[in-house]
Amino acid sequence: MSLIVQKYGGTSVGSVERIEAVAKKVADFRALGNEVVVVVSAMSGETNRLIGLANNITDSPSPREMDVLVSTGEQVTIALLAMALEKIGCPARSYTGAQVRILTDKSHTKARIEDIDVHRMQDDLAAGRVLVVAGFQGTDADGNITTLGRGGSDTTAVALAAALKADECQIYTDVDGVYTTDPRVVESAQRLDQITFEEMLEMASQGSKVLQIRAVEFAGKYKVPLRVLSSFEDGPGTLITLEEDESMEKPVVSGIAFNRDEAKLTIQGIPDTPGVAYRILGPIGEANIEVDVIVQNVSEDGTTALTFTVHRNDMKRAEEKLHEIARDLQAPTVIADADIVKVSLVGVGMRSHAGVASQMFQTLAEHSINIQMITTSEIKITVVIEEKYLELAVRALHTSFGLDVVDQSE
Ligand code: ADP
Ligand code: ASP
Ligand code: MG
């Protein structure tokens, strides 16, 4: 008998009909002799709707109350799925994060899981029930409701699988696996049979929202076998693996990720003296604004310019801070620009292959796409470009690195 944790995302539980279809899938899986723990998201669009309600009341809602609000979406779907399971004769029980006792730290809206109490779940499983657990939520030590950040149900599923030592954690979504890039942007994207944790972590952290970053981190750390599959059709999906598949001739670039959620800030005309980067980025960090890509350059007149990216939601605050810093440094100009995207090539093959960067830059040049910033790591190259070129850039790079699906009919 296998113990499997299955997670169904928003689209997969987006209507009563969809919830009933998921119930059937879960019940069939249990009938094969498996023990099943199901994690569900809120119905698609619901979390955004709830955030919208809050924003109608205030621009800066209390993070504690935000968590009380947005966690309700998942409470609806667990109850409905448990009812749908019972209706078809499959014993089931729903639990909120706090009821399971998914204990987190106190960072409302981006809490981290610290501990999970498995006893109650084990009792239910022993009694032959399917457990339906609310994704995305937990409780802090004082009993306050917390949430794990957008897309956090993936992390709930992986964390439960780790705590229960499940045989596999299956993430059911609206695509049938992890693709070379978002299949909604590039039609010729290919499903990958497998991808390493390391690559998946880069893909997720560079913007591929098919899995939440923390879920991948967690799965890598606790060695949870993780698979992404479609809830709409049968298929093998994509296995996230610890080891590279040495047997296969793999392309150097495994995938292309992109992120539209960042904005770029530049401060120019700063005196080029030791400590200026610290005097600029220190206060930004203290304001709890996360900085991503950073470029510094010296001009002919001996002054320096610092450009960096932050989440678009933080752009206004970062800009205000930079104006204060600019006054102190007697720097003349601060520029904020939300009209950018980050495009990243990811692949463990880059470790052993030179020339990936130059091929990337050449491809972008051939399409007259200007590169504004560049950053690299061992298995990734990232460029920042103007937002309107996103689709053109991703498609061109996808073709240039041989990732397009081959049309068998030709
Ligand atoms: P769920 O609601 O099931 O959690 P998400 O919307 O969070 O689903 O994630 C699935 C979506 O991720 C897909 O619909 C797809 O558009 C997007 N996506 C982005 N990059 C990729 C990729 N490389 N492979 C597959 N899907 C991707
Ligand atoms: N419902 C939450 C969100 O939309 C969590 C999730 O779906 O994973 O972000
Ligand atoms: Mg998701």
Side-chain angles (χ1 to χ4, degrees), residues 7-12 41 151 154 171-175 177-184 203 207-211 256 258:
K7 177 254 170 177
Y8 291 88
T11 322
S12 309
S41 290
D154 297 338
I171 306 288
Y172 287 90
T173 183
D174 55 4
V175 280
V178 177
Y179 276 68
T180 45
T181 192
D182 189 338
R184 295 187 203 289
M203 290 285 279
S208 292
K209 291 181 179 141
V210 61
L211 283 176
I256 305 176
F258 52 83

Side-chain angles (χ1 to χ4, degrees), residues 233-256:
E233 56 193 73
D234 291 336
T238 299
L239 184 67
I240 325 293
T241 59
L242 279 170
E243 302 296 330
E244 276 172 64
D245 185 355
E246 305 285 358
S247 64
M248 275 165 39
E249 184 60 38
K250 268 192 62 165
V252 181
V253 172
S254 302
I256 305 176

Side-chain angles (χ1 to χ4, degrees), residues 7 10 41-42 47 74 136 149-154:
K7 177 254 170 177
S41 290
T47 310
E74 274 72 10
F136 177 53
R150 296 307 304 270
S153 300
D154 297 338

Side-chain angles (χ1 to χ4, degrees), residues 102-106 112-116 139-141 218 222:
I102 297 179
L103 185 70
T104 72
D105 63 14
K106 293 181 184 302
R112 280 181 180 271
I113 296 176
E114 290 181 338
D115 191 33
I116 295 182
T139 174
D140 70 9
F218 223 102
Y222 294 98

Side-chain angles (χ1 to χ4, degrees), residues 305-344:
L306 193 79
T307 302
F308 57 92
T309 66
V310 299
H311 195 283
R312 269 187 208 182
N313 293 346
D314 289 329
M315 185 180 86
K316 276 266 152 320
R317 276 197 316 130
E319 191 180 359
E320 283 161 18
K321 271 266 160 254
L322 273 194
H323 277 295
E324 283 171 29
I325 299 164
R327 272 194 294 278
D328 284 352
L329 289 174
Q330 290 163 346
T333 342
V334 171
I335 306 161
D337 179 5
D339 197 16
I340 57 143
V341 285
K342 236 173 59 170
V343 177
S344 307

Side-chain angles (χ1 to χ4, degrees), residues 5 95 118 124 129 147 157 216 250 258 321 323 336 357:
V5 176
Y95 290 106
V118 291
D124 271 310
R129 291 185 199 105
T147 63
V216 187
K250 268 192 62 165
F258 52 83
K321 271 266 160 254
H323 277 295

Side-chain angles (χ1 to χ4, degrees), residues 64-92:
R64 181 188 184 280
E65 301 314 327
M66 251 349 243
D67 280 350
V68 174
L69 177 68
V70 295
S71 60
T72 61
E74 274 72 10
Q75 191 164 340
V76 171
T77 45
I78 51 168
L80 293 176
L81 180 58
M83 288 174 199
L85 283 163
E86 294 263 340
K87 185 172 112 178
I88 55 174
C90 176

